[in-house]
């Protein structure tokens, strides 16, 4: 039998625009539903998380300084790139247990979702800003501003669509992200990092970690230089831990509500506002 | 110490400067497309405006001699090249530079007044000016006291410039370095420019080259506007020198476009505009070579000083 | 050792720097109806010329009554059978395609725009085309988000929109009209201006290449009579018009008694107010941009300068010196600042006003820039010794002509600014924030620029007060004219 030996992919972390292994050197083996080894996945450590936050913080002011139009264009291009790699994403979802029909649907939804959110990048400001009719001779206006560095605990079951549905509204609003992705379905996230690296997303805007939530959650939720944490893990005991740790630096804690990731309830500009502050400015009107 | 009598006139307060407006004007000017003959004459003019500079703690007679040779022989293979305007060195190396550049038409400029920080006593700084003059400097590039300026002690800054100018007398021309990278805003740059011009500086210069950012097109435009208004008020033509960070011919041409369209023809001469640079010359030479040969060049073919 | 070659100081003139990209303009263009190019019913073609050279550019079909009927029918059919039934998300993706294709072909569109219209390549390349692209991108994103745009209401499309655009920003005006109409679910029949149909027809090619369902967008070039036919067509639900106030008034009368909705973007005579505490050099640059951008063929041009008396001499002197550096000439030269006037007709109008201004006793000044032999040209011009009652102060000239008056107090400036039937735009230059908010609030104009001028963005609503028209284009407000709001 002269079968060609395939070159197997190494799945690494994505930090600061680069693909390092975990500084701890650890990994875990991902198995398919027949128990066969699929891939070695980096077991990220709290130091990896720390490094990712440094990268995210460094990238944040530059990212927030770009125009909404520019961020929208970047997201739009991400959609184009995922469209171009449709087959690869479908194959990976199949490896992780989806049927081919489910896999295709998830990838199509993911692309459309990115395009959906791209269209909000230069519009949400208009919906969520106000000019306030104060009863004094002042021009008073309120505008949303990104909260800063956001930690994202991505959904466990929806390895691609769920992750992307939460990532997009966070970054289009000018925040940068460190995401801890699904433990059982991490492959799509790492491939998505390759799309991020190939697109025009500046280094450090999105950082993707694989690893065990049980080990990392406390450190993530307690990190003093993270401004908000979005948790889509679905476990009440984890939610409580997060809320407790978040109190250390008054982190904003968000539990995004949606009926299901494929549904349109996951498409809403209110997800953007979850990670925005509101800045009100006053200025006199007079000669 | 004789105190300079003139008060800084406050009857012409500096106008405010709008940063976005300046940046837009610079962007528009940077879109000019300079081709063919108009590019060649600009490249040669830029060469003739260079103050070839070495200002390192490690400078030695040998280094300066090599620089002076390069100043006189930019590229003997290319025809019809002008020489650079000046060589710029620390005071201790002025004598050597003067020797090397005798009869060449190239001036020797010396930094002084505790370059680059300016953080020293007034007496010490003026003594350094005297020393550079004794060594034979044709031009003095002094630094203004930024600390004094930023805390509002403008009389102090004014007096230092005026005194340095009087020490230069008829022998040398004075350039006042504002260190625009430390001043913070374009408003400040305009105020410092107006102050230095009023105090008698022959040139206002952007930077020491030791601080980032060094010269920028926006700082330069504001300074050129100050010179224009000064000329309008007094009839006197003063010069301008951007220094530091001008590494390639394209950038140098952008500066010339700014100059051409802000101050006009009368200022398009090394008498009134200089470029403080060390590696720029070779890039200009490469561009000139490309214009004559039609092919892109390599640094391998151009001597490094 | 080497010596200097050129004599000093250097008298530096810039060598010609022509843009060389091929605009891909066909010899002949037909009407774009129902997804294909078809000749007009009378098989006639209008000769389109290059205004900077007075030479032939191409010939373009002109739509007559049968063609307008066909186009409206195609738009109606596309609306009821396809476009209104398509999920909004998919409509958005079509508009994204148009934006993307326009972005890819940006350079050739810019060259075509400059050749056909006369404006400098620098402007078409850096302003017209990028803004057009951005406009399509912006509105594409709204297509599936309308439920958030109108709290408490459902937005329904109007149906078939008839759109008539002018010659000063041919492609940009097409983008401003088509993008919001499609995003809100309407279909379109668009008539470009008589002298500048080229980029609209190239846009039609892009629309065809984007596979937009046939009939969703129809482009029907022609003159005044074509426009009339479109406005008066009984099966059009909405008319959007940008052009002169006189025609706008005609449209209002023509639509009286019908159920058709309309928005109008008409003329202007904007006041540009410079206070003593302005950043003077940047204000002078702003005056230049306000009136000489696009040769002054801009409805929102700052054609009246109101300068505070204390700085008037300084400002006028700086203005004249700056005008001397403006380069007038071949629109395809990358260094050209001032291009050609779009048509002989327009040039005649402008020249009549230059005459009128002098007869009225105002003092005219122009820089000495050389003017090419062939083509339609007008040097940038300013008038001083001008009063509020001069015709050149009251009437829209639509050319590179600035009239200058002085004022003493802010109240006086505001009064002069408002003393006009127009109300499209205005400018305020001052370093004082409070003054900006006070003055912008009191001038009755739809767009107020503070310490800047002629700035546009697809997110920002544009439109006039009073006889400058009604309705807004751009931004959230730009959605309103294309929808009917029903309660939920």
């Amino acid at each position: 039998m002269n079968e060609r030996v395939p070159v197997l992919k190494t799945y690494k972390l994505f930090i600061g625009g680069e693909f390092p292994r975990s500084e701890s050197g650890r990994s875990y083996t991902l198995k398919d539903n027949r128990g066969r080894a699929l891939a070695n996945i980096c077991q990220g450590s709290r130091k990896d998380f720390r490094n990712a936050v440094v990268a995210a913080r460094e990238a944040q002011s530059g990212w927030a300084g770009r125009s909404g139009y520019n961020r929208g264009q970047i997201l739009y291009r991400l959609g184009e790139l995922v469209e171009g790699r449709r087959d690869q994403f479908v194959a990976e979802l199949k490896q992780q247990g989806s049927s081919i029909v489910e896999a295709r649907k998830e990838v199509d939804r993911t692309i459309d979702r990115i395009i959906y959110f791209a269209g909000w990048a230069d519009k949400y400001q208009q919906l969520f800003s106000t000019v306030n009719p104060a009863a004094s001779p002042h021009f008073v206006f309120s505008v949303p501003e990104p909260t800063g560095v956001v930690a994202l605990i991505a959904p466990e079951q929806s390895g691609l669509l769920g992750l992307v549905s939460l990532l997009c509204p966070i970054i289009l609003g000018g925040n940068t992200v460190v995401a801890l992705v699904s433990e059982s379905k991490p492959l799509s996230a790492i491939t998505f990092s390759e799309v991020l690296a190939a697109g025009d997303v500046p280094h450090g805007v999105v950082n993707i970690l694989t690893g065990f939530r049980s080990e990392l959650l406390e450190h993530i939720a307690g990190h003093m230089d993270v401004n908000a944490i979005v948790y889509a893990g679905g476990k009440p005991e984890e939610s409580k831990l997060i809320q407790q740790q978040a109190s250390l630096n008054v982190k904003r804690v968000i539990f995004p509500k949606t009926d299901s990731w494929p549904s349109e309830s996951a498409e809403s500009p209110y997800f953007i506002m979850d990670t925005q502050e509101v800045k009100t400015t006053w200025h006199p009107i007079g000669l | 110490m004789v105190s300079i009598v003139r008060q800084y006139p406050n009857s012409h307060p500096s106008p405010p400067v709008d940063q976005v407006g300046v940046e837009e004007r610079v962007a528009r000017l940077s879109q000019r497309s300079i081709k063919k003959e108009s590019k060649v004459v600009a490249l040669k003019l830029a060469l003739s405006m260079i103050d070839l500079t070495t200002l390192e703690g490690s400078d030695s007679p040998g280094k300066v001699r090599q620089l002076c040779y390069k100043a006189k022989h930019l590229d003997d293979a290319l025809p019809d090249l002008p020489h650079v305007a000046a060589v710029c060195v620390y005071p201790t190396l002025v004598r050597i530079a003067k020797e090397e550049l005798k009869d060449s038409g190239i001036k020797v400029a010396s930094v002084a007044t505790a370059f680059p920080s300016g953080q020293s006593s007034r007496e010490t700084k003026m003594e350094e000016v005297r020393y550079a003059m004794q060594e034979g400097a044709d031009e003095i590039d002094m630094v203004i006291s930024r600390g004094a300026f930023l805390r509002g002690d403008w009389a102090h800054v004014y007096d230092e410039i005026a005194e340095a100018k009087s020490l230069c007398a008829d022998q040398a021309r004075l350039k006042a370095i504002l260190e625009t990278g430390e001043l913070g805003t374009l408003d400040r740059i305009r105020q410092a420019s107006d102050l230095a011009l009023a105090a008698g500086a022959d040139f206002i210069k952007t930077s020491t080259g030791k601080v980032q950012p060094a010269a920028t097109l926006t700082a330069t435009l504001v300074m050129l506007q100050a010179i224009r208004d000064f000329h309008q008020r007094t009839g006197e033509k003063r010069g301008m020198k951007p220094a530091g960070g001008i590494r390639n011919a394209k950038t140098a041409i952008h500066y010339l476009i700014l100059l051409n369209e802000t101050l006009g023809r009368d200022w398009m001469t090394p008498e009134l505009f200089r470029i403080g640079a060390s590696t720029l010359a070779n890039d200009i030479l490469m561009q000139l070579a490309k214009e004559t040969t039609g092919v892109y060049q390599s640094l391998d073919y151009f001597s490094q000083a | 050792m080497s010596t200097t070659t050129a004599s000093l100081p250097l008298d530096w003139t810039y060598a010609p720097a022509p843009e060389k990209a091929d605009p891909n303009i066909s010899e002949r263009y037909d009407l774009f109806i129902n997804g294909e190019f078809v000749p007009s019913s009378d098989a006639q073609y209008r000769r389109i010329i290059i205004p900077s050279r007075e030479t032939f550019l191409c010939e373009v079909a002109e739509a007559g009554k049968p063609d307008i009927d066909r186009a409206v029918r195609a738009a109606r059919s596309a609306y009821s059978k396809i476009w209104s039934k398509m999920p909004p998300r998919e409509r958005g993706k079509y508009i994204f395609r148009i934006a993307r294709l326009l972005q890819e072909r940006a350079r050739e569109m810019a060259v075509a725009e400059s050749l056909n219209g006369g404006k400098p390549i620098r402007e078409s390349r850096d302003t017209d085309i990028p803004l057009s692209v951005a406009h399509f991108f912006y509105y594409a994103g709204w297509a599936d988000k309308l439920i958030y745009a109108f709290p408490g209401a459902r937005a329904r499309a109007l149906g078939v929109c008839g759109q008539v655009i002018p010659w000063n920003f041919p492609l940009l005006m097409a983008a401003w009209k088509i993008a919001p109409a499609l995003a809100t679910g309407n279909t379109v029949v668009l008539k470009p201006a008589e002298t500048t149909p080229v980029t609209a027809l190239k846009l039609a090619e892009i629309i065809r290449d984007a596979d937009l369902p046939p009939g969703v967008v129809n482009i029907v070039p022609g003159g005044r009579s074509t426009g009339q036919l479109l406005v008066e067509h009984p099966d059009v639900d909405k008319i959007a018009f940008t052009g002169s106030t006189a025609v706008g008034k005609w449209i209002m009368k023509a639509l009286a008694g019908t159920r058709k909705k309309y928005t109008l973007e008409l003329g202007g005579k904007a006041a540009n107010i410079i206070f003593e505490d302005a950043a003077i050099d940047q204000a002078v640059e702003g005056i230049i941009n306000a009136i000489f951008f696009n040769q002054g063929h801009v409805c929102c041009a700052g054609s009246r300068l109101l300068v505070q008396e204390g700085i008037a001499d300084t400002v006028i002197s700086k203005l004249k010196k700056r005008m001397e550096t403006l380069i007038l000439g071949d629109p395809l030269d990358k260094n050209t600042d001032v291009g050609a006037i779009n048509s002989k007709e327009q040039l005649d109008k402008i020249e009549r006003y230059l005459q009128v201004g002098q007869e009225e006793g105002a003092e005219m000044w122009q820089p000495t820039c050389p003017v090419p032999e062939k083509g339609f040209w007008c040097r940038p011009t300013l008038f001083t010794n001008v009063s509020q009652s001069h015709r050149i102060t009251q009437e829209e000239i639509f050319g590179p002509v600035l009239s200058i008056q002085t004022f003493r107090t802010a109240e006086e400036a505001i009064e002069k600014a408002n003393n006009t039937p127009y109300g499209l735009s205005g400018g305020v230059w001052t370093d004082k924030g409070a003054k900006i908010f006070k003055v912008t609030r009191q001038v009755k104009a739809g767009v107020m620029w503070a310490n800047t001028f002629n700035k546009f963005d697809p997110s920002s609503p544009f439109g006039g007060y009073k006889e400058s028209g009604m309705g807004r284009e751009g931004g959230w407000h730009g959605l309103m004219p294309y929808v009917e709001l029903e309660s939920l």
Side-chain angles (χ1 to χ4, degrees), chain C residues 79-201:
Chain C
Y79 174 74
S80 20
K81 299 200 180 106
I82 303 171
W83 202 239
S84 63
K85 297 192 158 54
M86 188 181 286
R89 169 198 312 275
E90 306 305 320
R91 289 203 293 256
K93 285 200 265 186
Y94 275 115
I95 308 173
F96 272 124
R97 270 193 198 172
I98 297 172
R100 204 35 133 205
L101 283 170
L102 194 51
Q103 198 172 38
E104 299 309 315
R105 299 184 197 171
R107 188 55 57 94
E108 76 177 64
M109 296 298 270
V111 177
E113 193 76 298
S114 285
L115 270 178
N116 186 198
K119 69 176 68 196
I121 185 72
R122 206 172 40 76
E123 284 176 13
S124 50
R125 178 195 69 202
D126 295 342
T127 303
D128 288 57
I129 301 333
L131 278 179
S132 303
V133 169
H135 219 83
F136 278 107
F137 269 117
Y138 178 82
Y139 278 107
W142 268 123
D144 54 356
K145 302 175 174 68
L146 296 180
I147 191 153
Y148 296 100
F150 302 103
R154 177 175 299 117
R156 292 238 278 136
L158 299 175
V160 174
C161 299
Q163 305 179 322
V164 178
I165 57 175
W167 48 263
N168 59 349
F169 292 93
L171 181 66
L172 184 59
M173 291 298 101
W176 277 25
K177 295 283 181 285
I178 296 174
L182 294 191
T184 44
N186 301 283
T187 56
V188 161
V189 179
L190 179 130
K191 186 199 90 66
E194 188 175 295
T195 54
T196 57
V198 174
T199 44
L201 290 161

Side-chain angles (χ1 to χ4, degrees), chain C residues 134-401:
Chain C
H135 219 83
F136 278 107
F137 269 117
Y138 178 82
Y139 278 107
W142 268 123
D144 54 356
K145 302 175 174 68
L146 296 180
I147 191 153
Y148 296 100
F150 302 103
R154 177 175 299 117
R156 292 238 278 136
L158 299 175
V160 174
C161 299
Q163 305 179 322
V164 178
I165 57 175
W167 48 263
N168 59 349
F169 292 93
L171 181 66
L172 184 59
M173 291 298 101
W176 277 25
K177 295 283 181 285
I178 296 174
L182 294 191
T184 44
N186 301 283
T187 56
V188 161
V189 179
L190 179 130
K191 186 199 90 66
E194 188 175 295
T195 54
T196 57
V198 174
T199 44
L201 290 161
K202 285 173 71 62
L203 181 64
E205 288 171 344
I206 284 176
I207 285 171
R208 180 199 55 195
D209 291 348
D211 251 338
L212 191 68
V216 173
V217 173
N218 306 275
I219 312 266
V220 288
R224 166 153 295 192
S225 51
T226 308
Q228 254 173 264
L229 288 164
L230 184 55
V231 167
E232 290 172 332
H233 197 291
D235 197 31
V236 167
D237 300 294
K238 181 214 159 68
I239 294 295
F241 171 76
T242 298
S244 70
T245 295
V247 175
K249 290 178 176 175
W250 175 86
I251 290 176
M252 286 181 73
K253 283 221 283 275
L255 298 184
T258 70
R259 57 173 178 85
K260 288 182 203 166
K261 294 193 171 339
Y262 58 89
T263 44
L264 306 170
E265 207 268 277
L266 308 175
K269 190 75 181 180
N272 204 358
I273 305 172
I274 319 280
F275 285 95
E276 278 166 345
D277 55 2
I280 305 270
D281 285 320
Q282 287 76 61
V284 167
E285 201 56 31
I287 299 170
I288 298 282
N289 285 335
I291 186 56
F292 302 128
F293 169 64
N294 199 25
Q295 296 73 251
H297 302 149
V298 190
C299 39
C300 50
S303 48
R304 290 188 284 152
L305 172 59
L306 299 180
V307 56
Q308 200 154 23
E309 190 170 352
I311 51 162
D313 288 341
T314 305
V315 167
I316 293 171
S317 140
K318 280 177 185 272
L319 196 49
K320 288 180 177 173
K321 290 210 179 81
R322 174 71 179 93
M323 284 164 75
E324 288 283 6
T325 67
L326 288 173
I327 299 175
L328 181 150
D330 179 12
L332 289 191
D333 190 314
K334 291 184 245 187
N335 289 322
T336 294
D337 297 313
V338 181
I341 305 299
N342 182 249
S343 66
K344 181 93 179 50
E345 199 187 317
Q346 187 60 29
L347 180 58
D348 287 344
K349 277 198 195 131
I350 298 170
E351 284 177 343
R352 262 201 304 280
Y353 274 109
L354 296 188
Q355 190 91 354
V356 163
Q358 292 177 92
E359 283 164 9
E360 291 183 303
E363 202 176 305
M364 190 175 93
W365 183 91
Q366 292 178 334
T368 53
C369 53
V371 168
E373 261 189 48
K374 302 277 303 153
F376 312 128
W377 307 95
C378 179
R379 287 197 177 90
T381 307
L382 59 82
F383 276 102
T384 46
N385 241 357
V386 167
S387 82
Q388 189 69 6
S389 53
H390 276 122
R391 280 185 63 197
I392 54 170
T393 314
Q394 291 287 322
E395 297 171 28
E396 187 182 33
I397 299 174
F398 221 65
V401 182

Side-chain angles (χ1 to χ4, degrees), chain B:
Chain B
M1 178 71 48
V2 176
S3 155
I4 304 300
V5 174
R6 276 180 300 178
Q7 284 290 330
Y8 181 43
N10 58 11
S11 53
H12 298 283
S14 304
V17 180
D18 183 82
Q19 179 192 347
V20 173
V22 172
E23 285 169 355
E24 284 179 355
R25 178 76 182 121
V26 164
R28 181 168 165 164
L29 286 166
S30 301
Q31 286 168 337
R32 289 285 191 227
S33 177
I34 308 299
K35 301 257 179 266
K36 305 199 204 96
E37 329 82 59
S38 56
K39 184 171 182 180
V40 171
V41 298
L43 289 172
K44 288 185 178 175
L45 181 65
L47 266 184
S48 76
M49 289 169 160
I50 292 178
D51 283 1
L52 211 52
T53 304
T54 184
L55 293 167
E56 303 304 318
S58 55
D59 284 342
S60 65
K63 175 111 186 274
V64 170
R65 285 202 179 93
Q66 275 177 241
L67 189 74
C68 291
Y69 191 83
K70 173 79 178 178
K72 290 183 294 187
H73 298 268
L74 282 172
D75 189 306
D76 290 338
L78 284 169
D80 282 336
L81 287 183
H83 58 72
V84 299
V87 154
C88 186
V89 293
Y90 272 112
T92 41
L93 294 153
V94 168
R95 188 173 289 268
I96 292 185
K98 277 294 273 194
E99 235 171 73
E100 293 295 322
L101 295 172
K102 201 162 49 166
D103 298 328
S104 67
I106 300 172
K107 309 254 195 297
V108 176
S110 173
V111 296
T113 67
F115 179 99
S117 72
Q119 295 280 16
S120 188
S121 71
R122 185 162 152 184
E123 292 75 28
T124 309
K125 293 195 275 189
M126 295 305 128
E127 190 52 44
E128 197 182 7
V129 174
R130 275 191 207 94
Y131 171 64
M133 296 291 295
Q134 278 158 21
E135 294 292 283
D138 304 303
E139 299 176 356
I140 300 287
D141 285 27
M142 72 170 285
V143 290
I144 67 166
S145 296
R146 279 88 72 198
F149 179 77
L150 289 170
R151 67 170 185 267
D153 190 357
W154 289 10
H156 178 109
V157 179
Y158 180 95
D159 286 350
E160 281 185 342
I161 299 170
E163 185 171 1
K165 174 66 184 164
S166 77
L167 289 175
C168 290
D170 293 325
Q171 175 186 329
R173 297 175 80 196
L174 178 69
K175 301 192 196 90
I177 302 173
L178 309 181
E179 197 68 298
T180 53
E182 283 178 351
L183 295 184
T185 63
L186 297 178
D187 283 329
R188 288 279 200 218
I189 294 173
R190 177 63 196 241
Q191 288 157 1
S193 301
D194 288 341
L195 188 157
L197 292 168
D202 298 298
F203 273 76
I204 46 177
K205 175 175 166 182
T206 57
S207 330
T208 60
K210 302 299 179 190
V211 160
Q212 289 301 320
T216 61
L217 289 166
T218 46
T220 299
L221 182 59
V222 172
M223 292 165 71
L224 293 175
Q225 287 169 346
I227 290 173
R228 183 173 58 187
D229 287 351
F230 185 80
H231 175 245
Q232 174 71 13
R233 275 204 306 280
T234 66
E236 289 176 38
K237 293 189 182 128
R238 301 292 177 83
M240 198 262 154
K241 175 177 170 180
I246 303 173
R247 289 191 189 90
N248 58 44
K250 186 161 188 199
T251 309
I253 290 186
H254 283 160
Y255 279 91
L256 289 182
I257 294 168
L258 237 68
L259 181 66
N260 191 37
E261 300 200 29
T262 308
L263 288 174
R265 182 179 177 264
D266 284 355
W267 267 262
M268 299 288 282
T269 159
E271 280 300 294
L272 289 171
F273 193 79
R274 299 285 181 79
I275 302 173
S278 33
T279 55
L280 172 64
N282 274 349
D283 196 71
I284 293 182
L285 295 171
M286 292 212 293
Q287 298 305 312
L288 281 169
K290 189 217 165 241
E291 290 298 312
T292 40
T293 63
V295 294
Y296 292 109
Q297 299 294 307
S298 152
L299 268 177
D300 286 350
Y301 300 87
F302 297 88
S303 68
Q304 263 133 327

Side-chain angles (χ1 to χ4, degrees), chain A residues 287, chain C residues 270-279 283 286-287 290 302-309 311 315 402 405-418 425-431 435-436 438-440 442-444 448-453:
Chain A
L287 295 172
Chain C
N272 204 358
I273 305 172
I274 319 280
F275 285 95
E276 278 166 345
D277 55 2
I287 299 170
S303 48
R304 290 188 284 152
L305 172 59
L306 299 180
V307 56
Q308 200 154 23
E309 190 170 352
I311 51 162
V315 167
L402 177 68
Q405 296 167 269
T406 58
F407 68 91
R408 282 124 293 274
T409 64
E411 287 84 358
E412 188 191 337
I414 292 166
E415 198 184 294
K416 283 187 156 78
N418 287 335
S425 59
V428 180
W429 298 79
T430 167
D431 208 40
K435 197 184 298 186
I436 290 173
K438 181 83 169 184
V439 174
T440 55
Q442 299 200 325
V443 174
K444 292 191 177 44
M448 287 301 291
W449 284 297
N451 292 324
T452 189
F453 211 99

